[in-house]
Amino acid sequence: MSTIPLDALPMETLRRRSSSKWRTYPADVLPLFVAETDFPLAPAITAALSDAVAIGDTGYTPRENGLADAFAGFAQRLFGWSVDPARVRPTGDVMMGVVELLRATTRPGDAVVTTPPVYPPFAMCIEEAGCRVETVPLVDTGAGWQLDLDGIDAALAAGARAVLLCNPHNPTGTAHRPEALSALAEIAARHGAVVISDEIHAPLAYDDTPYTPFLAASPTAASVGYAVTSASKAFNLAGLKCAVMITAAEETAAVVRALPPEVEWRTGLFGAISGVAAFGGASDDWLDALRARLDGNRRLLGDLLRAQLPQAVYRMPEAGYLAWIDLSAYGWGDDPAVRIQRDAKVALHHGPQFGAEGVGFVRLNFGCAPDVLTDAVTRIGALAPA
């Protein structure tokens, strides 16, 4: 881990931003909902984008843009995962990649398995691809969450043709274990199904829980799987529109190669430029510093909840900067974020949007300064009975 401290930008600077996080609510509301962070960009990214602007480099994104090699090096350094750059293809964002892969691997009307509580756009993207959502909720073990492999097996046996996996999982922050991923791959192979793995939060996996990419879980996973990821969550680049689709077998690589050229043309040039700067090695120290700051924040959040909201149920995420918190004990309704935004002036993500399993929950973004996090939880705590 880097010893270089990474501090969030001051609030007066953040409120000059024009992104969704800072334009959705009035200025008296602390926005801890959407997955944007409050830190300055990695210096290598700032330099690359500044140079591009200075020379007017704002044209079309070339096919050979450096992303494949940069991502392959990044995967090897962070995860010990050997990726063939020839099997990396860019697109505009992760959900765009998911939709196109579903269109290529399913037929209209097919069922696609999701594992709620899960990122709300999963359902929307499955429907955009012409498929139906088949939910197999995560299993709450009392200590964490895990895939319901028997339930997924039954859904595929009943005709579902794909599993849309979130690894690490949003909103729980679960880094799925290699044995579970390997077992999932065997189930998919047995039923002739595919697994499409959204791995956008992988660069923010913490050291105390080693992260396993789905395609690296086993030879079978490599044969049935597709991964889609981006620098956008870890490096706060969502608005620049760039993601990569990765395969690890010739048959799946052929599917990606056969996607329409427009899938690749949708990649933003600034997204590709910043993605190379993020993945290429020059931003590794910055990423280490970010993880160190987020590690402190996820622990601080636990302390704050114990002090301010002792009936809240919170398990530290194993990856990312999103906390999944059960506030049902406080009787604030199925969607506690509504009252919290109205009365505490803190905007959190609405738990029920992640599925029926999110009733009574909120998702909190702790990718901010510790004092902002403290202020937010203190405000919410003031709503709780004495």
Side-chain angles (χ1 to χ4, degrees):
M1 276 287 185
S2 171
T3 58
I4 302 170
L6 181 64
D7 295 322
L9 293 167
M11 188 61 71
E12 57 268 25
T13 301
L14 292 168
R15 291 206 178 277
R16 290 169 50 201
R17 288 182 171 179
S18 59
S19 62
S20 292
K21 183 172 184 178
W22 299 101
R23 289 293 181 267
T24 300
Y25 294 99
D28 62 343
V29 174
L30 287 178
L32 277 68
F33 66 113
V34 71
E36 299 179 26
T37 56
D38 295 352
F39 304 98
L41 292 179
I45 296 173
T46 299
L49 292 174
S50 297
D51 184 59
V53 170
I55 64 174
D57 191 9
T58 54
Y60 292 107
T61 308
R63 177 175 290 275
E64 299 301 326
N65 51 48
L67 268 172
D69 287 331
F71 179 78
F74 184 80
Q76 186 65 57
R77 292 192 308 277
L78 259 69
F79 313 127
W81 176 25
S82 295
V83 171
D84 181 352
R87 291 175 174 169
V88 178
R89 186 176 182 188
T91 190
D93 58 42
V94 166
M95 288 297 98
M96 188 180 296
V98 165
V99 170
E100 297 300 338
L101 288 170
L102 284 173
R103 285 173 173 159
T105 57
T106 64
R107 293 177 295 186
D110 281 348
V112 176
V113 173
T114 65
T115 56
V118 74
Y119 184 50
F122 271 25
M124 292 182 278
C125 288
I126 289 169
E127 292 167 359
E128 182 181 344
C131 296
R132 297 180 292 108
V133 177
E134 179 81 17
T135 59
V136 181
L138 294 179
V139 175
D140 184 343
T141 67
W145 291 269
Q146 62 187 31
L147 297 171
D148 179 357
L149 295 170
D150 289 341
I152 294 172
D153 191 4
L156 295 180
R161 306 313 307 144
V163 178
L164 184 47
L165 179 69
C166 202
N167 180 43
H169 197 88
N170 174 7
T172 64
T174 305
H176 295 298
R177 302 303 187 259
E179 57 273 17
L181 298 175
S182 178
L184 174 62
E186 295 299 329
I187 292 167
R190 187 163 63 250
H191 295 292
V194 301
V195 177
I196 300 171
S197 185
D198 170 358
E199 304 193 347
I200 199 169
H201 295 277
L204 296 177
Y206 298 105
D207 290 344
D208 51 9
T209 307
Y211 167 74
T212 302
F214 178 74
L215 296 179
S218 70
T220 304
S223 71
V224 301
Y226 301 83
V228 194
T229 191
S230 172
S232 64
K233 285 295 182 286
F235 295 93
N236 208 43
L237 304 172
L240 299 185
K241 292 299 177 186
C242 179
V244 289
M245 301 172 287
I246 309 110
T247 52
E250 180 50 38
E251 184 176 351
T252 52
V255 171
V256 173
R257 286 196 300 269
L259 293 175
E262 190 64 26
V263 174
E264 190 166 318
W265 278 110
R266 294 169 186 156
T267 307
L269 181 58
F270 278 9
I273 290 169
S274 60
V276 171
F279 291 142
S283 298
D284 286 2
D285 285 347
W286 183 93
L287 182 60
D288 284 346
L290 175 64
R291 280 202 303 265
R293 169 62 72 191
L294 296 177
D295 183 33
N297 279 3
R298 66 177 179 151
R299 298 176 191 278
L300 172 62
L301 177 57
D303 294 339
L304 291 168
L305 290 171
R306 282 187 288 273
Q308 300 289 337
L309 292 159
Q311 296 183 70
V313 180
Y314 162 67
R315 298 166 186 153
M316 282 201 310
E318 297 167 340
Y321 49 81
L322 304 173
W324 188 235
I325 306 169
D326 183 357
L327 295 176
S328 56
Y330 288 98
W332 293 341
D334 290 351
D335 189 358
V338 173
R339 183 180 177 191
I340 290 169
Q341 190 268 316
R342 184 188 68 220
D343 296 341
K345 303 300 182 184
V346 178
L348 306 178
H349 211 314
H350 302 271
Q353 292 185 9
F354 294 80
E357 297 72 19
V359 167
F361 282 77
V362 295
R363 193 191 75 176
L364 182 151
N365 174 351
F366 57 84
C368 58
D371 62 334
V372 171
L373 182 59
T374 301
D375 185 9
V377 179
T378 301
R379 291 187 191 191
I380 300 168
L383 302 181

